Amino acid sequence: MLRKGSELLLATGGDREVLLDLDYVTGNRGEPQTTDSYGSLQNGGFIPPRNLSAAAASSEDDEDDPIYIHCDKPSSRPEQPLGGNYFRDGRTKIDFVLVWEVKPRKHRSRWRGQSETSGPEEVGARAEEGSSRSERRKAQLARWRDKFTQNLQNAGILLEKEETASEKKTIHYLKLSAPWDVLVYYAEELILRAPLQAQPNPNFNTSDRILRKLYIPNVMAESLPNRPLDYYTCAFRKSKMEKFLGCENHDTYFTNTQRHRIVYELLARTVYGKRKRAEVGVARLLNEGAYTAAFPLHEGPFELPEFEVRPDELNQRQVLFQYWARWSKWYKYQPLDHIREYFGEKIALYFAWLGFYTAWLLPAAVVGVFVFVSGVMSMGTNTPAKEICNSGGSYLMCPLCKTCKPWNMSDICPMAKVGYLFDHPGTVFFSVFMSFWAVTFLEYWKRKMATLAHHWDCMDFQEEEERPRPEFAAMAPSIEYNPVTGVKEPYFPEKARLSRMLTGSMVIIIMLCVVMIFLVSVIMYRGIVSVMMYRTGSFVLRTQAGNIANISSSMVNLALILLMGQVYTALALQLTKWEMHRTQTQYEDAFTFKVFVFQFVNFYSSPFYVAFFKGRFVGYPGHYGTLLGMRNEDCGPGGCLIELAEQLFIIMVGKQLISNVQEFVIPKVKAWQQKRALNKVRGTQKSQEPRRWEEDYQLVECEGLFEEYLEIVLQFGFITIFVAAFPLAPLFALLNNWAEVRLDAHKFVCEYRRPVAERAQNIGVWFNILEALSHLSVIVNAFLIAFTSDFLPRLLYQYKFDNDLNGYVNFTLAYAPPSYTSHPMCRYKAFRDNNGNYTLIYWELLAVRLGFIIAFEHVVFFVLRAIDWMVPDVPESLGLKVKRERYLAKQALADNQEALLVSHRGSASSQASNASFGNMS
């Protein structure tokens, strides 16, 4: 049993930790006292009446004197109940687990013996005088844990401790449970939603509804056990408890995710050290190293039992594994309600968005494949390619480098044919289609998002006034009053933050310059490889020099992209911490913006160069442009569009393959290392089955959804911005996402510790990024068709000269000027006269290109605005449901509902009598 004051025995090392017996009996609670001290026990903490005086006394003491806690271990361990998610009594649920590791100390018995005759202050001073800095640090962490644990008990949390010991290390597990009255108090404070009325589970799956109406069997549909019920809900109120469904059963009224959220909220508020230093919350204790892990438990093993059981007897984790996380379920719908019930709304929304996006990729992939196949089938009808193949020695082309020889255009016959696959009228149609697809997808996702937010009780969710981040609280130079809450909080001057953000922007610009330097290096590498291929004298190498250089440089570029991405992500993390953002939301938004801006330039700079800059500054024979002494790159024989397609294929598909391998291998390696380390500690206990908290501690810590979102958003950019050059991009994205859904599902169900369930009503700042990318794609595709593709030059030639494009190749070639004496009368691709000046055709074509860009953008953006106007963000049926729910909530929470009805009837009858009296008079 916990003892305080003079009855406490000193625990000077990490090995003397807290063990609290389960003799706490829940009773009536008083309201918490208020205070203006940030992060104090009273401020947001729940204090039972039996601990009010003790908590007040501890808050009045000087916080330099820590509270020490000691308890005795039980002589025997009762049998653990099946499932392992309960205290030793088999009834009290485990809502959270705190873990810390302690290594044995030298001379431990000497300090333990002294603690029996000395007071806490005397022995504490003696320990610090005789210990090294690391020992003093361990003692400090132990004191923080002791005080944190006692304050948790003062706040009403039930605690029980387990440990796994070996000669080298002891692992401590502190199990936490919130009793009913703590849950009720925090449920009202956190504005949790409570069920008022059950209703049939709606079917939000559009494809399933369409197939049902057409009486077509749906192989993607599957019946799942224990599907969560749907309810009309309202904000929880303790005073209206009898109005809510299931309130009589205290054990099952709050879901496990709600219990986890409540306990984590209390863990985040509990003080453990000096209030002036804002030493509060489990997140900062994890950063300081006082705890090595803090997590809620999984519901049980994910493996199916060896004996046969009914589907409705499986635990939630087994249901998710059996019906979602297995590879054999790749073609089935995702059980979003089960995911939300187990992991919370934030993770469920990610998987809902990923599944919705993957489903919408299906029509885009079909159209893309159709466009590609039509290009393959029409290759034989490409008149310019026929002319090139049949030209023989008619077109003697100027050398591509100083030491190269002239070459015949007929040498590039295969590349001219292949280039038509990525540069034909169908690609223009596909770019327009994908512009409409992107905006329509986002509009319908807004509807889906609103529907899910209501279904999951998050439509009116607004993040509460956020507390400062633990790192911010630790590093802030001063304490000021929060004008909203009136509570003292850590404060960092806004001007200082702005100056730091400006400095961080300069660092970002420097890193972007580094990306440009690497891009120039890749360009030079490509030029050197091309020259080397030409000098070999081999016909094959000479004709394929451009392709070899482009493919190898793309692989080098991909390696540099991945390397720079890792370096910059670590740098952006440190920069964002240094900028001292007050709340976690501000911190995450700043970090997301930094990383995305860099990754956008990192991934897309090379494709942008090939699409819009390569071949634009070549010059003409005798007056070639140079970069660092080397001739500027010209587009290859097949044109720049085929080189752009090659780059997109290597960068996009290569990135996806590498990411999938990393997602598959890295968690397994980390879990293996953690399991191996834990098995060493367990030693002789290996013969016993590991308990649930031990098994979960072996798993990998969930690091959030940032990397998952970033990967898919970058993919979205590839399939929309450069889709005119690579119509197969949606197909590769679809194949990747089918694997991505199962990879992520397997990680969350089988390999990650269970994350704390978080509420969310949308995908956050990522939606704004997707909207920006969809609008940017319209502009980029317009310029791509106008300046990179041969679509408009062919169209102009058909209009002015020949509808069958006969003579088009000669039309696009110019003669070298007479001053170029090295190889007179050689040809090069440009619209110039014999003196190297631009011809009238060049200016006519430029006017056509600019006119096409303006017309393309105006038409597409007009249609997009029309789609935005015609497709409401909230479905009409959902609007009716929201009104119905609000009506029920108003009826349930009205304190004087009957009095209002009586008064209304009385006033109506008096008005009627007055009216009749008036008529009589």
Side-chain angles (χ1 to χ4, degrees):
M1 182 60 198
L2 184 70
R3 296 187 291 279
K4 297 180 57 182
S6 60
E7 299 177 3
L8 293 177
L9 299 179
L10 175 64
T12 57
D15 58 314
R16 303 288 296 276
E17 301 297 346
V18 184
L19 178 64
L20 300 174
D21 295 337
L22 295 178
D23 58 349
Y24 171 66
V25 181
T26 58
N28 296 327
R29 297 289 202 260
E31 293 298 321
Q33 298 176 349
T34 59
T35 180
D36 60 354
S37 178
Y38 165 74
S40 66
L41 182 62
Q42 294 93 333
N43 181 30
F46 187 88
I47 309 174
R50 71 184 187 91
N51 291 322
L52 276 175
S53 58
S58 66
S59 65
E60 292 171 1
D61 293 338
D62 183 6
E63 292 195 72
D64 286 326
D65 299 328
I67 299 177
Y68 296 101
I69 305 172
H70 171 77
C71 60
D72 300 319
K73 292 184 180 180
S75 57
S76 61
R77 175 179 295 169
E79 192 69 25
Q80 287 291 333
L82 293 176
N85 285 20
Y86 294 89
F87 280 16
R88 296 192 194 106
D89 61 0
R91 297 184 304 275
T92 307
K93 284 186 178 180
I94 301 174
D95 296 320
F96 229 86
V97 176
L98 302 178
V99 186
W100 68 99
E101 300 179 359
V102 177
K103 294 182 179 179
R105 298 179 56 188
K106 296 180 180 179
H107 310 299
R108 190 165 122 191
S109 58
R110 179 167 62 90
W111 291 116
R112 182 173 295 178
Q114 290 176 343
S115 66
E116 296 175 359
T117 57
S118 306
E121 293 80 10
E122 180 184 351
V123 177
R126 197 177 303 160
E128 291 198 5
E129 289 174 359
S131 62
S132 64
R133 179 180 299 178
S134 62
E135 295 298 332
R136 291 197 301 270
R137 175 65 176 171
K138 291 178 182 178
Q140 176 66 34
L141 296 179
R143 289 195 295 270
W144 281 347
R145 284 194 295 267
D146 291 346
K147 187 168 184 180
F148 187 71
T149 307
Q150 182 176 8
N151 286 343
L152 285 176
Q153 196 198 34
N154 289 341
I157 294 294
L158 307 179
L159 308 119
E160 185 178 71
K161 184 180 161 190
E162 304 281 348
E163 66 179 38
T164 304
S166 70
E167 295 181 358
K168 295 183 177 180
K169 185 167 54 176
T170 301
I171 302 178
H172 300 268
Y173 303 90
L174 187 63
K175 299 175 288 185
L176 314 179
S177 179
W180 170 252
D181 41 5
V182 173
L183 294 172
V184 167
Y185 172 78
Y186 274 96
E188 187 164 356
E189 183 173 326
L190 298 179
I191 319 176
L192 296 186
R193 307 287 293 187
L196 289 171
Q197 177 181 316
Q199 60 172 338
N201 241 318
N203 183 9
F204 298 123
N205 199 313
T206 305
S207 63
D208 184 57
R209 292 200 302 267
I210 293 174
L211 292 175
R212 286 176 184 271
K213 289 181 180 179
L214 297 176
Y215 298 101
I216 298 175
N218 187 1
V219 297
M220 296 178 290
E222 187 174 22
S223 178
L224 272 73
N226 304 325
R227 185 177 180 185
L229 295 175
D230 191 36
Y231 299 98
Y232 286 118
T233 63
C234 71
F236 179 84
R237 288 188 186 176
K238 182 179 178 181
S239 59
K240 299 296 178 182
M241 181 73 71
E242 70 281 354
K243 301 283 187 179
F244 301 124
L245 296 180
C247 61
E248 64 282 351
N249 192 337
H250 292 185
D251 292 333
T252 60
Y253 180 74
F254 292 104
T255 65
N256 287 336
T257 51
Q258 288 176 330
R259 296 175 67 98
H260 300 163
R261 193 179 300 142
I262 288 171
V263 174
Y264 186 76
E265 181 70 19
L266 205 151
L267 288 171
R269 296 182 180 190
T270 302
V271 68
Y272 64 85
K274 292 185 177 181
R275 297 191 186 97
K276 291 181 180 179
R277 295 181 182 175
E279 292 176 338
V280 58
V282 70
R284 189 174 170 194
L285 282 172
L286 287 168
N287 292 337
E288 296 284 355
Y291 293 110
T292 57
F295 52 87
L297 293 178
H298 280 291
E299 298 299 318
F302 66 85
E303 300 93 345
L304 298 182
E306 296 179 357
F307 52 90
E308 188 173 351
V309 296
R310 297 197 311 270
D312 57 355
E313 293 178 350
L314 300 175
N315 64 50
Q316 290 179 312
R317 193 182 183 194
Q318 289 171 334
V319 170
L320 289 175
F321 175 74
Q322 177 73 8
Y323 295 93
W324 178 48
R326 294 195 302 162
W327 287 101
S328 60
K329 301 296 180 180
W330 65 271
Y331 63 96
K332 297 293 185 181
Y333 292 131
Q334 295 189 90
L336 295 179
D337 286 338
H338 292 76
I339 299 170
R340 177 250 180 171
E341 185 181 38
Y342 194 75
F343 291 112
E345 291 80 11
K346 192 171 186 176
I347 291 175
L349 274 173
Y350 163 73
F351 281 105
W353 171 75
L354 181 58
F356 189 80
Y357 167 58
T358 303
W360 271 70
L361 279 174
L362 189 58
V366 170
V367 176
V369 171
F370 174 78
V371 169
F372 183 78
V373 171
S374 67
V376 173
M377 297 179 66
S378 61
M379 283 176 61
T381 63
N382 183 15
T383 302
K386 288 180 180 179
E387 287 188 352
I388 291 174
C389 294
N390 299 328
S391 62
S394 302
Y395 303 115
L396 183 67
M397 307 300 294
C398 296
L400 297 176
C401 63
K402 290 180 180 180
T403 60
C404 300
K405 297 179 180 179
W407 52 284
N408 289 318
M409 181 166 272
S410 58
D411 294 346
I412 64 165
C413 174
M415 292 306 301
K417 291 181 177 180
V418 174
Y420 191 72
L421 293 177
F422 304 96
D423 190 4
H424 61 94
T427 58
V428 179
F429 159 76
F430 191 52
S431 63
V432 176
F433 170 82
M434 287 302 295
S435 297
F436 294 152
W437 174 90
V439 174
T440 308
F441 157 69
L442 293 177
E443 287 300 318
Y444 276 92
W445 166 247
K446 283 195 284 188
R447 291 167 60 89
K448 179 77 171 179
M449 192 162 52
T451 303
L452 289 175
H454 175 263
H455 178 51
W456 293 340
D457 300 322
C458 292
M459 178 166 275
D460 298 326
F461 169 68
Q462 297 292 335
E463 291 188 5
E464 326 145 38
E465 180 64 23
E466 288 188 84
R467 294 178 305 279
R469 296 170 49 246
E471 295 87 348
F472 174 85
M475 299 172 65
S478 61
I479 301 288
E480 300 287 344
Y481 279 99
N482 185 320
V484 177
T485 63
V487 173
K488 280 186 176 181
E489 291 183 355
Y491 175 76
F492 190 80
E494 194 64 30
K495 289 184 178 179
R497 179 183 293 111
L498 290 176
S499 65
R500 291 191 177 194
M501 293 175 68
L502 182 61
T503 306
S505 302
M506 296 299 104
V507 175
I508 295 174
I509 293 173
I510 292 172
M511 290 298 297
L512 295 181
C513 292
V514 172
V515 173
M516 294 297 107
I517 292 172
F518 278 116
L519 177 61
V520 173
S521 302
V522 171
I523 293 170
M524 295 183 68
Y525 165 84
R526 193 156 44 220
I528 293 171
V529 171
S530 298
V531 172
M532 291 174 61
M533 294 296 104
Y534 275 104
R535 286 181 177 178
T536 59
S538 170
F539 176 79
V540 176
L541 292 179
R542 188 158 54 86
T543 55
Q544 299 298 323
N547 282 330
I548 295 172
N550 191 50
I551 292 173
S552 62
S553 65
S554 297
M555 293 180 178
V556 172
N557 191 37
L558 175 61
L560 291 174
I561 284 171
L562 297 177
L563 175 64
M564 289 295 295
Q566 294 295 323
V567 172
Y568 180 77
T569 301
L571 178 61
L573 187 64
Q574 297 303 319
L575 275 177
T576 311
K577 289 180 180 178
W578 182 66
E579 288 172 358
M580 293 292 289
H581 295 281
R582 176 182 170 273
T583 65
Q584 188 66 23
T585 300
Q586 294 170 347
Y587 172 86
E588 290 177 355
D589 288 348
F591 179 69
T592 299
F593 177 77
K594 284 186 186 65
V595 175
F596 180 77
V597 167
F598 178 82
Q599 294 286 39
F600 181 88
V601 176
N602 193 27
F603 274 91
Y604 300 147
S605 58
S606 183
F608 265 104
Y609 164 75
V610 174
F612 301 116
F613 296 99
K614 187 176 182 180
R616 301 284 179 255
F617 309 101
V618 178
Y620 57 94
H623 296 82
Y624 286 115
T626 59
L627 174 66
L628 300 177
M630 295 182 60
R631 257 178 59 176
N632 289 337
E633 278 192 304
D634 197 358
C635 290
C640 276
L641 216 58
I642 189 172
E643 294 185 27
L644 179 59
E646 290 173 354
Q647 284 226 353
L648 291 174
F649 175 80
I650 292 172
I651 294 175
M652 174 184 165
V653 178
K655 169 68 167 61
Q656 291 179 346
L657 288 175
I658 293 172
S659 296
N660 288 340
V661 170
Q662 287 178 333
E663 289 185 30
F664 181 78
V665 173
I666 291 178
K668 292 186 180 298
V669 172
K670 288 183 177 178
W672 174 78
Q673 291 175 338
Q674 184 79 355
K675 186 175 182 179
R676 186 163 172 257
L678 188 58
N679 285 338
K680 287 183 179 179
V681 178
R682 293 183 67 213
T684 57
Q685 303 175 16
K686 285 185 181 180
S687 57
Q688 302 176 4
E689 281 294 322
R691 293 159 294 182
R692 172 51 43 200
W693 46 88
E694 292 178 326
E695 289 189 344
D696 284 10
Y697 185 52
Q698 294 175 5
L699 301 178
V700 181
E701 181 183 2
C702 178
E703 297 179 351
L705 296 169
F706 175 80
E707 290 294 337
E708 315 297 339
Y709 273 116
L710 179 63
E711 179 185 353
I712 304 300
V713 169
L714 288 172
Q715 179 201 93
F716 181 84
F718 277 117
I719 70 168
T720 53
I721 294 178
F722 300 107
V723 73
F726 191 33
L728 293 179
L731 174 63
F732 288 108
L734 176 66
L735 297 175
N736 172 80
N737 289 4
W738 269 335
E740 184 73 25
V741 170
R742 303 305 153 185
L743 273 175
D744 290 346
H746 191 271
K747 284 192 304 185
F748 276 93
V749 174
C750 307
E751 295 169 357
Y752 280 169
R753 293 173 191 157
R754 188 174 184 178
V756 179
E758 296 182 63
R759 299 186 71 196
Q761 64 185 74
N762 51 48
I763 60 175
V765 70
W766 295 108
F767 184 82
N768 300 329
I769 293 175
L770 291 171
E771 277 194 319
L773 288 176
S774 67
H775 288 85
L776 178 64
S777 69
V778 177
I779 301 171
V780 172
N781 279 295
F783 276 87
L784 202 62
I785 295 168
F787 286 97
T788 308
S789 169
D790 279 343
F791 173 72
L792 292 181
R794 290 173 183 172
L795 201 64
L796 179 64
Y797 186 83
Q798 286 178 314
Y799 174 75
K800 293 195 67 172
F801 301 105
D802 190 291
N803 192 52
D804 294 329
L805 292 177
N806 294 314
Y808 175 76
V809 174
N810 187 59
F811 168 72
T812 60
L813 298 178
Y815 285 95
S819 59
Y820 188 65
T821 57
S822 302
H823 302 282
M825 301 300 292
C826 67
R827 310 292 294 271
Y828 65 100
K829 194 171 183 178
F831 294 101
R832 294 178 184 267
D833 58 20
N834 291 339
N835 297 320
N837 299 319
Y838 287 119
T839 62
L840 180 62
I841 292 293
Y842 171 83
W843 299 108
E844 288 180 354
L845 183 58
L846 180 62
V848 170
R849 284 169 167 164
L850 295 177
F852 173 82
I853 291 172
I854 294 172
F856 183 92
E857 290 180 356
H858 278 68
V859 170
V860 172
F861 279 125
F862 173 78
V863 175
L864 298 185
R865 294 284 74 78
I867 293 173
D868 190 10
W869 175 73
M870 289 188 297
V871 180
D873 293 348
V874 179
E876 183 179 356
S877 59
L878 178 59
L880 293 174
K881 289 184 67 176
V882 171
K883 291 178 181 178
R884 169 68 177 167
E885 188 170 39
R886 288 176 178 170
Y887 171 78
L888 290 174
K890 184 178 179 182
Q891 294 291 99
L893 301 181
D895 291 325
N896 53 351
Q897 181 181 352
E898 295 181 1
L900 286 174
L901 290 174
V902 171
S903 62
H904 177 71
R905 291 171 182 168
S907 61
S909 60
S910 62
Q911 289 176 3
S913 61
N914 289 337
S916 60
F917 178 78
N919 293 334
M920 289 173 62
S921 61

